[in-house]
Amino acid sequence: MSSILILNKRSLRGYPYHEWLRDDPRPKVLLTARQIHEEYREDLADFAPFYATIEQFDAYNVNGDIELRALELHERLGFERILANFEFDLPRAARLREQLGLPGQSVASAHAFRDKVAMKDLCRARGLAVGEYRRARSATDILEFVAAHGYPVVVKPANGGASLDTHVLRGDADLRALLERGLVPRFDFVPNLIVERFVPGEMYHVDGLVVDGEIALVWPSRYINNTLSFKDDVALGSLTLDPGTRLTERLREFTRGVLAALPTPPTTTFHAEVFHTPADELVLCEVASRTGGAKVATTLELAFGIDINEAWYRALCGLPLAKSPSELAGSGPNGAAGWHLIFPRPGELRTAPAACPLPGIVDYALLAQPGQRLAAAYHSTDTLASFVVQGADAAEVRARIANAERWFLERLEIAAAV
């Protein structure tokens, strides 16, 4: 017997693996995070008919029993593929593949895409602009970097994600506050940080799909605000760029260079973040070998008519795609699309609109209920409400996003926490 192992920390309504792989006869085994299904109020009994086995795990990100159960289940079910899309699952899946001799992203590839120092070392070696950086394993490393390069600098986990524990240090007071908190929770931990010079300019993200070594889709979008906006209670959004502009083509070509510099898996989605500086230079922030978060996949589906997550999983399992890689590579977007996240702030939610009637809003979600106690946003996709927007071009999408944010905030009431 042969089967497919799926490592999961996603809503199964948003990631319906059983539908994506409906024409693959192999049994599917799901090892999943208990917390995510409680958060989305999903009853796994509803999905049980579609999977040979479903097992839930607490403390999913660090739970080593997931690997143990995968190896135990392999003895009985004979995994042929291991599928994973969550940032912190990629190394776990790679280690399991290596141990079992299965195809897919290797340990070396997962490390290059997860460890930001290794990533930037490889890209710099290929002549790509990455800005000044160094690995920081102690306070002294950070102090030396600041002495050499001055402020502002950014300090964050070298293998982090979702802008968690990312700090912009603009002066000595910020530096001292970070050091006083401690770089690690216990003295016997070794910090694994990257400190890098702050890069001024606009931030863009470039997303796409690689199938059998061919880049089938690569398209840039511009962030509205930035991925640290949640720290300041400022909304975060994004909109696809219009085709044919010089910057659109430069970002696409730059990202192709990044993928060529790294041990990119033959089949993967990707999410690159790139600065466009006031000096008209493109500088890599970072890149991931998985789909971008928030509503990136939804906006690409609106623009290009394909669900890149479904395409990724089907390609990994050898199944035909709704659009061939060559068909995707030769097509441009159908108009423009974007998304917008409103972050929660501390207090009790009194009122917020349950539906959005505005033109161009193709998806609106309110992720809290009146009476619910809210906390401040913890990471860059910790969301109170989200919008997905469609328009004829980027300018129309940007105007509709601004209108939607204004409309929502006029109808939002949160009683301040006391």
Side-chain angles (χ1 to χ4, degrees):
M1 178 183 293
S2 62
S3 60
I4 297 171
L5 172 62
I6 302 172
L7 303 178
N8 176 68
K9 196 181 179 183
R10 307 290 188 186
S11 159
L12 294 181
R13 288 191 293 270
Y15 285 73
Y17 308 108
H18 59 284
E19 294 180 6
W20 295 344
L21 306 178
R22 57 195 173 278
D23 46 342
D24 191 315
R26 290 173 289 189
K28 286 81 177 174
V29 173
L30 187 74
L31 303 186
T32 189
R34 186 186 312 277
Q35 176 191 359
I36 203 73
H37 306 297
E38 292 174 351
E39 180 181 336
Y40 283 92
R41 297 183 176 88
E42 292 179 341
D43 185 349
L44 289 184
D46 296 337
F47 301 94
F50 307 111
Y51 297 92
T53 301
I54 298 179
E55 295 189 16
Q56 298 184 76
F57 297 84
D58 295 313
Y60 183 87
N61 290 4
V62 297
N63 193 330
D65 190 38
I66 296 169
E67 287 96 320
L68 175 60
R69 285 299 295 144
L71 295 173
E72 291 173 345
L73 289 166
H74 174 72
E75 291 297 315
R76 178 162 56 90
L77 298 171
F79 298 131
E80 287 188 340
R81 295 287 187 275
I82 298 177
L83 309 182
N85 55 54
F86 174 55
E87 183 80 13
F88 302 111
D89 261 335
L90 299 181
R92 173 185 281 155
R95 291 191 297 268
L96 287 169
R97 290 190 198 100
E98 189 167 280
Q99 184 164 352
L100 299 177
L102 299 179
Q105 185 175 33
S106 67
V107 171
S109 173
H111 175 72
F113 278 90
R114 288 285 300 119
D115 186 285
K116 295 169 179 55
V117 176
M119 173 196 304
K120 294 189 177 191
D121 285 347
L122 289 167
C123 289
R124 172 173 279 178
R126 293 289 289 267
L128 295 165
V130 295
E132 295 297 331
Y133 65 95
R134 71 168 286 178
R135 193 180 297 278
R137 296 199 182 279
S138 68
T140 303
D141 292 337
I142 298 174
L143 294 172
E144 289 178 349
F145 188 87
V146 170
H149 299 286
Y151 294 110
V153 301
V154 179
V155 179
K156 60 187 177 184
N159 60 349
S163 299
L164 288 168
D165 296 318
T166 296
H167 305 277
V168 180
L169 311 183
R170 300 187 183 277
D172 289 342
D174 292 338
L175 173 62
R176 187 173 295 277
L178 174 65
L179 298 182
E180 286 179 349
R181 282 197 299 270
L183 301 180
V184 288
R186 287 180 9 190
F187 75 93
D188 54 334
F189 286 19
V190 177
N192 181 28
L193 303 172
I194 181 173
V195 54
E196 52 193 7
R197 195 169 185 177
F198 183 87
V199 179
E202 297 286 336
M203 179 178 275
Y204 294 78
H205 61 92
V206 187
D207 302 275
L209 173 69
V210 180
V211 177
D212 294 333
E214 177 185 350
I215 299 178
L217 175 62
V218 52
W219 203 262
S221 300
R222 181 172 69 85
Y223 278 118
I224 301 169
N225 301 322
N226 62 67
T227 56
L228 295 179
S229 295
F230 71 96
K231 291 177 178 284
D232 301 316
D233 190 27
V234 176
L236 171 65
S238 163
L239 62 153
T240 57
L241 297 192
D242 294 330
T245 71
R246 178 172 175 268
L247 185 57
T248 295
E249 294 310 313
R250 286 181 64 200
L251 285 163
R252 298 179 74 197
E253 191 60 29
F254 182 86
T255 305
R256 290 187 183 100
V258 170
L259 296 176
L262 298 175
T264 301
T267 296
T268 186
T269 55
F270 60 87
H271 175 71
E273 294 182 333
V274 183
F275 296 105
H276 181 219
T277 73
D280 195 30
E281 184 180 21
L282 298 182
V283 178
L284 177 68
C285 177
E286 57 189 69
V287 60
S289 55
R290 45 86 181 162
T291 308
K295 298 291 185 176
V296 167
T298 306
T299 58
L300 289 177
E301 186 171 6
L302 285 172
F304 291 93
I306 188 169
D307 183 330
I308 62 169
N309 284 317
E310 179 178 4
W312 179 20
Y313 271 43
R314 289 183 65 82
L316 286 171
C317 292
L319 302 172
L321 309 186
K323 290 186 177 182
S324 70
S326 58
E327 183 182 1
L328 267 177
S331 65
N334 178 26
W339 51 266
H340 207 58
L341 307 181
I342 306 292
F343 296 117
R345 59 177 183 263
E348 180 184 327
L349 179 63
R350 294 287 178 81
T351 61
C356 180
L358 299 177
I361 307 300
V362 298
D363 181 77
Y364 164 74
L366 177 65
L367 301 179
Q369 301 298 321
Q372 185 173 332
R373 300 292 297 184
L374 305 176
Y378 179 60
H379 55 74
S380 61
T381 57
D382 194 358
T383 308
L384 171 60
S386 66
F387 300 86
V388 177
V389 184
Q390 194 169 28
D393 55 25
E396 183 172 56
V397 169
R398 181 67 184 91
R400 286 176 169 177
I401 285 175
N403 188 37
E405 179 179 3
R406 182 169 54 253
W407 169 88
F408 179 83
L409 294 177
E410 287 172 352
R411 290 159 178 78
L412 174 67
E413 182 184 350
I414 295 177
V418 294

